[in-house]
Amino acid sequence: MTKRNGITYTEHNGQFIKHCPCTPDVVSCGYYNLNLHTGCPYSCSYCILQAYLETKEPIYFTNFADMEKELQEASYTHRYLRIGTGELTDSLALDPRTDYSHKILALFEQFPDIVFEFKTKSTHIENILNYGKKLNNIIISWSLNPREVIKREELLTPNLFSRLKAIETAQRQGFKIGIHFDPIVVFPGWKAAYLDLIRQIAKIIIPAQIAWWSLGALRFPYSLRDHIFKYQNSRLFEGELIKGHDGKYRYFKPLRLELFHYVKKHIREYVSPDVPLYLCMEDKEVWQEVLPKLPPDEAALNKYLYESALRVLRAFVVQKRRR
Ligand code: SF4
């Protein structure tokens, strides 16, 4: 074990690749997590890591050969593998200090059939842009929320303007972009705030380069309650919350349906009718109501999202040829 720049580097004894745990009785999208590092320098009121992780200290695992072996095996058994480092940490928040993105890119260059996602709220894409090669299986995704939510709930994170600038830069370099509206938070004025956010995204985004866009309504386990109370300006308790059978608190169904329909309508209207939307941690009924054209089935959704990423690639190649 070593420590440099406040970051611990050590070997990982467990499995690197894990099916996203999702939650019982919802439609999983078939995503996999790559547990390459833990801990996050940001401080979000709704973040489940605050309840799950023993320490916020960043720990980066070093045994890449073991991870490569696991990936090799997974590539034999999974035809449509989508995987990322952003479920348990921010994929890029500490990248200027670790340069792990280079190691990841070098690794996934060997697995062109596995779609890898960097998921972040940061603006640290320099190392990725400087890698020298653009890999077709790489997506850079941003979690976005209206300014009001960032200010109250996402402390220490870059502001919306900086994130949108980073998206613009990445897509100009030809990268495929993912967007995550997760968690969507209800507060007085939420409709105007999300509409404004969608309009701002629409001004800069190239729809053909969107690999996927998730919608997830606020949910949190009871154990996160004390953490949320520490955020005196938080508005997480303002929507009508109920306890689901997974023990998590979430908005009651009519409110979730209202917010999903609302953001979907405006994304379709302002960004593109073809944006590949999906829901995070929602049950079959909500899926069928909100996205009736998609089969609420894990294998089918995973394939749809995987192929969506590849379709973006084709669109980008065609665009480049035309230039
Ligand atoms: S729907 Fe969300 S929580 Fe469930 S598997 Fe997909 S990314 Fe993970």
Side-chain angles (χ1 to χ4, degrees), residues 38 46 98 109 141 167 181 198 201 228 233 258 262 296:
T38 64
Y46 52 75
T98 66
E109 197 174 345
S141 292
I167 292 177
F181 272 13
I198 292 164
I201 296 169
I228 298 171
N233 294 322
E258 185 187 352
Y262 183 82

mmCIF file with all atom_site columns, all heavy atoms in Angstrom, residues 38 46 98 109 141 167 181 198 201 228 233 258 262 296:
data_model
loop_
_atom_site.group_PDB
_atom_site.id
_atom_site.type_symbol
_atom_site.label_atom_id
_atom_site.label_alt_id
_atom_site.label_comp_id
_atom_site.label_asym_id
_atom_site.label_entity_id
_atom_site.label_seq_id
_atom_site.pdbx_PDB_ins_code
_atom_site.Cartn_x
_atom_site.Cartn_y
_atom_site.Cartn_z
_atom_site.occupancy
_atom_site.B_iso_or_equiv
_atom_site.pdbx_formal_charge
_atom_site.auth_seq_id
_atom_site.auth_comp_id
_atom_site.auth_asym_id
_atom_site.auth_atom_id
_atom_site.pdbx_PDB_model_num
ATOM 1   N N   . THR A 1 38  ? -12.562 3.845  -5.033  1.00 0.00 ? 38  THR A N   1
ATOM 2   C CA  . THR A 1 38  ? -13.677 4.222  -4.169  1.00 0.00 ? 38  THR A CA  1
ATOM 3   C C   . THR A 1 38  ? -13.349 5.567  -3.508  1.00 0.00 ? 38  THR A C   1
ATOM 4   O O   . THR A 1 38  ? -12.212 6.031  -3.557  1.00 0.00 ? 38  THR A O   1
ATOM 5   C CB  . THR A 1 38  ? -13.926 3.184  -3.057  1.00 0.00 ? 38  THR A CB  1
ATOM 6   O OG1 . THR A 1 38  ? -12.777 3.168  -2.211  1.00 0.00 ? 38  THR A OG1 1
ATOM 7   C CG2 . THR A 1 38  ? -14.170 1.799  -3.603  1.00 0.00 ? 38  THR A CG2 1
ATOM 8   N N   . TYR A 1 46  ? -27.503 13.633 -1.407  1.00 0.00 ? 46  TYR A N   1
ATOM 9   C CA  . TYR A 1 46  ? -28.286 12.432 -1.707  1.00 0.00 ? 46  TYR A CA  1
ATOM 10  C C   . TYR A 1 46  ? -27.432 11.194 -1.951  1.00 0.00 ? 46  TYR A C   1
ATOM 11  O O   . TYR A 1 46  ? -27.955 10.135 -2.299  1.00 0.00 ? 46  TYR A O   1
ATOM 12  C CB  . TYR A 1 46  ? -29.151 12.677 -2.964  1.00 0.00 ? 46  TYR A CB  1
ATOM 13  C CG  . TYR A 1 46  ? -28.347 13.192 -4.136  1.00 0.00 ? 46  TYR A CG  1
ATOM 14  C CD1 . TYR A 1 46  ? -27.513 12.367 -4.861  1.00 0.00 ? 46  TYR A CD1 1
ATOM 15  C CD2 . TYR A 1 46  ? -28.426 14.534 -4.505  1.00 0.00 ? 46  TYR A CD2 1
ATOM 16  C CE1 . TYR A 1 46  ? -26.765 12.847 -5.910  1.00 0.00 ? 46  TYR A CE1 1
ATOM 17  C CE2 . TYR A 1 46  ? -27.694 15.026 -5.565  1.00 0.00 ? 46  TYR A CE2 1
ATOM 18  C CZ  . TYR A 1 46  ? -26.857 14.176 -6.267  1.00 0.00 ? 46  TYR A CZ  1
ATOM 19  O OH  . TYR A 1 46  ? -26.115 14.662 -7.296  1.00 0.00 ? 46  TYR A OH  1
ATOM 20  N N   . THR A 1 98  ? -4.409  11.240 -10.502 1.00 0.00 ? 98  THR A N   1
ATOM 21  C CA  . THR A 1 98  ? -4.145  9.792  -10.641 1.00 0.00 ? 98  THR A CA  1
ATOM 22  C C   . THR A 1 98  ? -3.805  9.376  -12.072 1.00 0.00 ? 98  THR A C   1
ATOM 23  O O   . THR A 1 98  ? -3.135  8.379  -12.278 1.00 0.00 ? 98  THR A O   1
ATOM 24  C CB  . THR A 1 98  ? -5.386  8.965  -10.241 1.00 0.00 ? 98  THR A CB  1
ATOM 25  O OG1 . THR A 1 98  ? -6.440  9.233  -11.182 1.00 0.00 ? 98  THR A OG1 1
ATOM 26  C CG2 . THR A 1 98  ? -5.852  9.299  -8.841  1.00 0.00 ? 98  THR A CG2 1
ATOM 27  N N   . GLU A 1 109 ? -8.894  -0.311 -24.850 1.00 0.00 ? 109 GLU A N   1
ATOM 28  C CA  . GLU A 1 109 ? -8.477  -0.374 -26.253 1.00 0.00 ? 109 GLU A CA  1
ATOM 29  C C   . GLU A 1 109 ? -8.371  -1.843 -26.679 1.00 0.00 ? 109 GLU A C   1
ATOM 30  O O   . GLU A 1 109 ? -8.597  -2.185 -27.831 1.00 0.00 ? 109 GLU A O   1
ATOM 31  C CB  . GLU A 1 109 ? -7.121  0.333  -26.397 1.00 0.00 ? 109 GLU A CB  1
ATOM 32  C CG  . GLU A 1 109 ? -6.808  0.683  -27.818 1.00 0.00 ? 109 GLU A CG  1
ATOM 33  C CD  . GLU A 1 109 ? -5.538  1.510  -27.956 1.00 0.00 ? 109 GLU A CD  1
ATOM 34  O OE1 . GLU A 1 109 ? -5.033  2.058  -26.959 1.00 0.00 ? 109 GLU A OE1 1
ATOM 35  O OE2 . GLU A 1 109 ? -5.067  1.595  -29.103 1.00 0.00 ? 109 GLU A OE2 1
ATOM 36  N N   . SER A 1 141 ? -19.802 10.516 -19.592 1.00 0.00 ? 141 SER A N   1
ATOM 37  C CA  . SER A 1 141 ? -21.151 10.907 -19.166 1.00 0.00 ? 141 SER A CA  1
ATOM 38  C C   . SER A 1 141 ? -21.099 11.934 -18.049 1.00 0.00 ? 141 SER A C   1
ATOM 39  O O   . SER A 1 141 ? -20.218 11.873 -17.192 1.00 0.00 ? 141 SER A O   1
ATOM 40  C CB  . SER A 1 141 ? -21.898 9.701  -18.611 1.00 0.00 ? 141 SER A CB  1
ATOM 41  O OG  . SER A 1 141 ? -22.169 8.792  -19.616 1.00 0.00 ? 141 SER A OG  1
ATOM 42  N N   . ILE A 1 167 ? -18.747 19.225 -21.635 1.00 0.00 ? 167 ILE A N   1
ATOM 43  C CA  . ILE A 1 167 ? -19.489 18.397 -22.604 1.00 0.00 ? 167 ILE A CA  1
ATOM 44  C C   . ILE A 1 167 ? -19.213 18.895 -24.017 1.00 0.00 ? 167 ILE A C   1
ATOM 45  O O   . ILE A 1 167 ? -18.928 18.114 -24.940 1.00 0.00 ? 167 ILE A O   1
ATOM 46  C CB  . ILE A 1 167 ? -21.010 18.448 -22.310 1.00 0.00 ? 167 ILE A CB  1
ATOM 47  C CG1 . ILE A 1 167 ? -21.323 17.758 -20.996 1.00 0.00 ? 167 ILE A CG1 1
ATOM 48  C CG2 . ILE A 1 167 ? -21.822 17.830 -23.457 1.00 0.00 ? 167 ILE A CG2 1
ATOM 49  C CD1 . ILE A 1 167 ? -22.794 17.804 -20.579 1.00 0.00 ? 167 ILE A CD1 1
ATOM 50  N N   . PHE A 1 181 ? -29.788 12.422 -15.662 1.00 0.00 ? 181 PHE A N   1
ATOM 51  C CA  . PHE A 1 181 ? -30.622 13.260 -14.801 1.00 0.00 ? 181 PHE A CA  1
ATOM 52  C C   . PHE A 1 181 ? -30.958 12.376 -13.609 1.00 0.00 ? 181 PHE A C   1
ATOM 53  O O   . PHE A 1 181 ? -31.986 11.696 -13.578 1.00 0.00 ? 181 PHE A O   1
ATOM 54  C CB  . PHE A 1 181 ? -31.913 13.649 -15.517 1.00 0.00 ? 181 PHE A CB  1
ATOM 55  C CG  . PHE A 1 181 ? -31.839 14.900 -16.347 1.00 0.00 ? 181 PHE A CG  1
ATOM 56  C CD1 . PHE A 1 181 ? -30.625 15.489 -16.670 1.00 0.00 ? 181 PHE A CD1 1
ATOM 57  C CD2 . PHE A 1 181 ? -33.007 15.515 -16.804 1.00 0.00 ? 181 PHE A CD2 1
ATOM 58  C CE1 . PHE A 1 181 ? -30.575 16.652 -17.443 1.00 0.00 ? 181 PHE A CE1 1
ATOM 59  C CE2 . PHE A 1 181 ? -32.962 16.668 -17.578 1.00 0.00 ? 181 PHE A CE2 1
ATOM 60  C CZ  . PHE A 1 181 ? -31.749 17.238 -17.889 1.00 0.00 ? 181 PHE A CZ  1
ATOM 61  N N   . ILE A 1 198 ? -32.846 21.743 -19.566 1.00 0.00 ? 198 ILE A N   1
ATOM 62  C CA  . ILE A 1 198 ? -32.954 21.027 -20.852 1.00 0.00 ? 198 ILE A CA  1
ATOM 63  C C   . ILE A 1 198 ? -32.673 21.996 -22.013 1.00 0.00 ? 198 ILE A C   1
ATOM 64  O O   . ILE A 1 198 ? -31.977 21.645 -22.970 1.00 0.00 ? 198 ILE A O   1
ATOM 65  C CB  . ILE A 1 198 ? -34.350 20.373 -20.982 1.00 0.00 ? 198 ILE A CB  1
ATOM 66  C CG1 . ILE A 1 198 ? -34.475 19.239 -19.966 1.00 0.00 ? 198 ILE A CG1 1
ATOM 67  C CG2 . ILE A 1 198 ? -34.599 19.855 -22.402 1.00 0.00 ? 198 ILE A CG2 1
ATOM 68  C CD1 . ILE A 1 198 ? -35.899 18.757 -19.713 1.00 0.00 ? 198 ILE A CD1 1
ATOM 69  N N   . ILE A 1 201 ? -28.951 22.535 -22.244 1.00 0.00 ? 201 ILE A N   1
ATOM 70  C CA  . ILE A 1 201 ? -28.279 21.367 -22.850 1.00 0.00 ? 201 ILE A CA  1
ATOM 71  C C   . ILE A 1 201 ? -28.528 21.378 -24.358 1.00 0.00 ? 201 ILE A C   1
ATOM 72  O O   . ILE A 1 201 ? -27.617 21.150 -25.160 1.00 0.00 ? 201 ILE A O   1
ATOM 73  C CB  . ILE A 1 201 ? -28.788 20.049 -22.218 1.00 0.00 ? 201 ILE A CB  1
ATOM 74  C CG1 . ILE A 1 201 ? -28.431 19.995 -20.741 1.00 0.00 ? 201 ILE A CG1 1
ATOM 75  C CG2 . ILE A 1 201 ? -28.215 18.835 -22.941 1.00 0.00 ? 201 ILE A CG2 1
ATOM 76  C CD1 . ILE A 1 201 ? -29.108 18.859 -19.967 1.00 0.00 ? 201 ILE A CD1 1
ATOM 77  N N   . ILE A 1 228 ? -28.328 13.611 5.273   1.00 0.00 ? 228 ILE A N   1
ATOM 78  C CA  . ILE A 1 228 ? -29.047 14.692 4.568   1.00 0.00 ? 228 ILE A CA  1
ATOM 79  C C   . ILE A 1 228 ? -29.323 15.857 5.529   1.00 0.00 ? 228 ILE A C   1
ATOM 80  O O   . ILE A 1 228 ? -29.213 17.025 5.146   1.00 0.00 ? 228 ILE A O   1
ATOM 81  C CB  . ILE A 1 228 ? -30.370 14.170 3.957   1.00 0.00 ? 228 ILE A CB  1
ATOM 82  C CG1 . ILE A 1 228 ? -30.078 13.073 2.920   1.00 0.00 ? 228 ILE A CG1 1
ATOM 83  C CG2 . ILE A 1 228 ? -31.150 15.316 3.274   1.00 0.00 ? 228 ILE A CG2 1
ATOM 84  C CD1 . ILE A 1 228 ? -31.312 12.338 2.418   1.00 0.00 ? 228 ILE A CD1 1
ATOM 85  N N   . ASN A 1 233 ? -29.460 23.573 3.812   1.00 0.00 ? 233 ASN A N   1
ATOM 86  C CA  . ASN A 1 233 ? -30.251 24.154 2.716   1.00 0.00 ? 233 ASN A CA  1
ATOM 87  C C   . ASN A 1 233 ? -30.891 23.090 1.827   1.00 0.00 ? 233 ASN A C   1
ATOM 88  O O   . ASN A 1 233 ? -31.486 23.412 0.803   1.00 0.00 ? 233 ASN A O   1
ATOM 89  C CB  . ASN A 1 233 ? -29.366 25.046 1.841   1.00 0.00 ? 233 ASN A CB  1
ATOM 90  C CG  . ASN A 1 233 ? -28.887 26.248 2.623   1.00 0.00 ? 233 ASN A CG  1
ATOM 91  O OD1 . ASN A 1 233 ? -29.647 26.798 3.413   1.00 0.00 ? 233 ASN A OD1 1
ATOM 92  N ND2 . ASN A 1 233 ? -27.636 26.635 2.425   1.00 0.00 ? 233 ASN A ND2 1
ATOM 93  N N   . GLU A 1 258 ? -45.301 12.045 -13.100 1.00 0.00 ? 258 GLU A N   1
ATOM 94  C CA  . GLU A 1 258 ? -45.406 13.436 -13.562 1.00 0.00 ? 258 GLU A CA  1
ATOM 95  C C   . GLU A 1 258 ? -44.029 13.986 -13.948 1.00 0.00 ? 258 GLU A C   1
ATOM 96  O O   . GLU A 1 258 ? -43.849 14.591 -15.000 1.00 0.00 ? 258 GLU A O   1
ATOM 97  C CB  . GLU A 1 258 ? -46.039 14.306 -12.465 1.00 0.00 ? 258 GLU A CB  1
ATOM 98  C CG  . GLU A 1 258 ? -46.282 15.733 -12.929 1.00 0.00 ? 258 GLU A CG  1
ATOM 99  C CD  . GLU A 1 258 ? -46.756 16.642 -11.794 1.00 0.00 ? 258 GLU A CD  1
ATOM 100 O OE1 . GLU A 1 258 ? -47.040 16.161 -10.683 1.00 0.00 ? 258 GLU A OE1 1
ATOM 101 O OE2 . GLU A 1 258 ? -46.832 17.857 -12.053 1.00 0.00 ? 258 GLU A OE2 1
ATOM 102 N N   . TYR A 1 262 ? -42.759 14.864 -17.715 1.00 0.00 ? 262 TYR A N   1
ATOM 103 C CA  . TYR A 1 262 ? -42.418 16.266 -17.952 1.00 0.00 ? 262 TYR A CA  1
ATOM 104 C C   . TYR A 1 262 ? -41.023 16.404 -18.587 1.00 0.00 ? 262 TYR A C   1
ATOM 105 O O   . TYR A 1 262 ? -40.856 17.050 -19.618 1.00 0.00 ? 262 TYR A O   1
ATOM 106 C CB  . TYR A 1 262 ? -42.486 17.043 -16.628 1.00 0.00 ? 262 TYR A CB  1
ATOM 107 C CG  . TYR A 1 262 ? -42.210 18.510 -16.798 1.00 0.00 ? 262 TYR A CG  1
ATOM 108 C CD1 . TYR A 1 262 ? -43.209 19.381 -17.206 1.00 0.00 ? 262 TYR A CD1 1
ATOM 109 C CD2 . TYR A 1 262 ? -40.934 19.025 -16.558 1.00 0.00 ? 262 TYR A CD2 1
ATOM 110 C CE1 . TYR A 1 262 ? -42.954 20.729 -17.377 1.00 0.00 ? 262 TYR A CE1 1
ATOM 111 C CE2 . TYR A 1 262 ? -40.675 20.369 -16.725 1.00 0.00 ? 262 TYR A CE2 1
ATOM 112 C CZ  . TYR A 1 262 ? -41.686 21.221 -17.133 1.00 0.00 ? 262 TYR A CZ  1
ATOM 113 O OH  . TYR A 1 262 ? -41.413 22.555 -17.318 1.00 0.00 ? 262 TYR A OH  1
ATOM 114 N N   . PRO A 1 296 ? -39.684 -3.570 -21.062 1.00 0.00 ? 296 PRO A N   1
ATOM 115 C CA  . PRO A 1 296 ? -39.120 -3.461 -19.710 1.00 0.00 ? 296 PRO A CA  1
ATOM 116 C C   . PRO A 1 296 ? -38.468 -4.768 -19.270 1.00 0.00 ? 296 PRO A C   1
ATOM 117 O O   . PRO A 1 296 ? -38.920 -5.441 -18.352 1.00 0.00 ? 296 PRO A O   1
ATOM 118 C CB  . PRO A 1 296 ? -40.335 -3.109 -18.851 1.00 0.00 ? 296 PRO A CB  1
ATOM 119 C CG  . PRO A 1 296 ? -41.499 -3.632 -19.600 1.00 0.00 ? 296 PRO A CG  1
ATOM 120 C CD  . PRO A 1 296 ? -41.146 -3.718 -21.046 1.00 0.00 ? 296 PRO A CD  1
#
